[in-house]
């Protein structure tokens, strides 16, 4: 395979890489659009209840051609991603994920078995119920300073703050 690319002119390689990256991003879009997400660049967002929204972001690494996959719950009117919840999803121990190392089928499996179920759980669970789960409220980064009325259970915050 290396020999094939060694003989390919740089411009052709760049065109091929761009087409592969576009297909990779499109594979994500195909899964998220039916779930109500709207795409802007490499970010997909959908509204949740009240002033809250859910975001899935394919963040390209600054240092390589690998990607991080971020899931956020935020509140409209705040400027910080993941005010209310933030996590990364990834296949196995690939974080960041070298998207070129996975076949299309392997990436499809990751989307179907990891990404879609994680997003569906958030979409189909009322925020007040999500706020009772330690896996969610432990990652709330606003520390109750950005939301007057927070959907995260206050007694769980107090338990964390006063062990």
């Amino acid at each position: 395979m290396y020999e094939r690319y060694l003989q390919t002119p740089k411009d052709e390689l760049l065109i091929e890489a761009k087409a592969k990256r576009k297909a990779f991003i499109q594979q994500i879009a195909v899964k998220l659009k039916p779930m109500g997400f709207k795409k802007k660049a490499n970010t997909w967002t959908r509204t949740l209840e009240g002033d809250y929204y859910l975001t899935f972001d394919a963040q390209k690494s600054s240092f390589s051609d690998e990607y991080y996959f971020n899931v956020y719950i935020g509140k409209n009117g705040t400027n910080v991603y993941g005010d209310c919840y933030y996590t990364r999803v990834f296949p196995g121990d690939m974080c960041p994920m070298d998207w070129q190392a996975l076949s299309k089928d392997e990436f499809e499996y990751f989307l179907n078995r990891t990404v879609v179920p994680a997003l569906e759980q958030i979409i189909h669970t009322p925020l007040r119920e999500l706020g009772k789960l330690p896996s969610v409220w432990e990652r709330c980064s606003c520390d109750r300073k950005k939301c007057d009325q927070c959907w995260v259970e206050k007694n769980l915050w107090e338990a964390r703050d006063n062990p």
Side-chain angles (χ1 to χ4, degrees), residues 5-162:
Y5 289 115
L6 185 63
Q7 305 302 321
T8 306
K10 182 179 178 181
D11 291 343
E12 288 180 33
L13 281 175
L14 291 174
I15 290 169
E16 186 174 335
K18 186 175 181 179
K20 283 185 171 184
R21 186 176 291 108
K22 185 176 180 179
F24 160 71
I25 296 298
Q26 182 61 26
Q27 199 173 353
I28 299 168
V30 165
K31 293 292 177 189
L32 299 187
K33 187 173 183 177
M35 296 172 67
F37 284 87
K38 304 286 186 210
K39 182 180 182 298
K40 183 175 182 182
N42 290 348
T43 302
W44 292 262
T45 305
R46 67 157 284 154
T47 58
L48 294 173
E49 60 192 79
D51 291 334
Y52 294 91
Y53 60 88
L54 174 61
T55 298
F56 180 83
D57 177 52
Q59 174 192 357
K60 187 180 174 306
S61 170
S62 300
F63 306 104
S64 67
D65 198 21
E66 298 174 318
Y67 280 82
Y68 297 96
F69 300 109
N70 307 305
V71 176
Y72 304 105
I73 297 175
K75 185 175 182 182
N76 291 326
T78 61
N79 295 327
V80 180
Y81 273 130
D83 287 344
C84 301
Y85 174 72
Y86 162 76
T87 194
R88 282 199 165 135
V89 291
F90 46 91
D93 60 353
M94 292 179 70
C95 186
M97 188 192 84
D98 182 355
W99 64 277
Q100 297 174 81
L102 293 179
S103 71
K104 184 177 180 180
D105 289 340
E106 289 170 320
F107 188 63
E108 185 81 12
Y109 183 84
F110 164 65
L111 292 172
N112 289 334
R113 295 294 187 154
T114 304
V115 174
V116 170
L119 297 176
E120 283 182 338
Q121 180 188 13
I122 294 170
I123 292 167
H124 299 298
T125 305
L127 288 177
R128 292 253 178 236
E129 293 303 310
L130 279 177
K132 295 176 182 176
L133 302 175
S135 62
V136 172
W137 63 264
E138 285 180 336
R139 293 185 178 156
C140 178
S141 64
C142 83
D143 205 19
R144 296 175 297 175
K145 294 183 178 130
K146 294 187 177 139
C147 303
D148 295 328
Q149 294 289 323
C150 190
W151 53 274
V152 173
E153 284 288 311
K154 301 297 186 201
N155 61 340
L156 297 176
W157 278 104
E158 292 163 7
R160 184 196 77 172
D161 295 341
N162 304 309

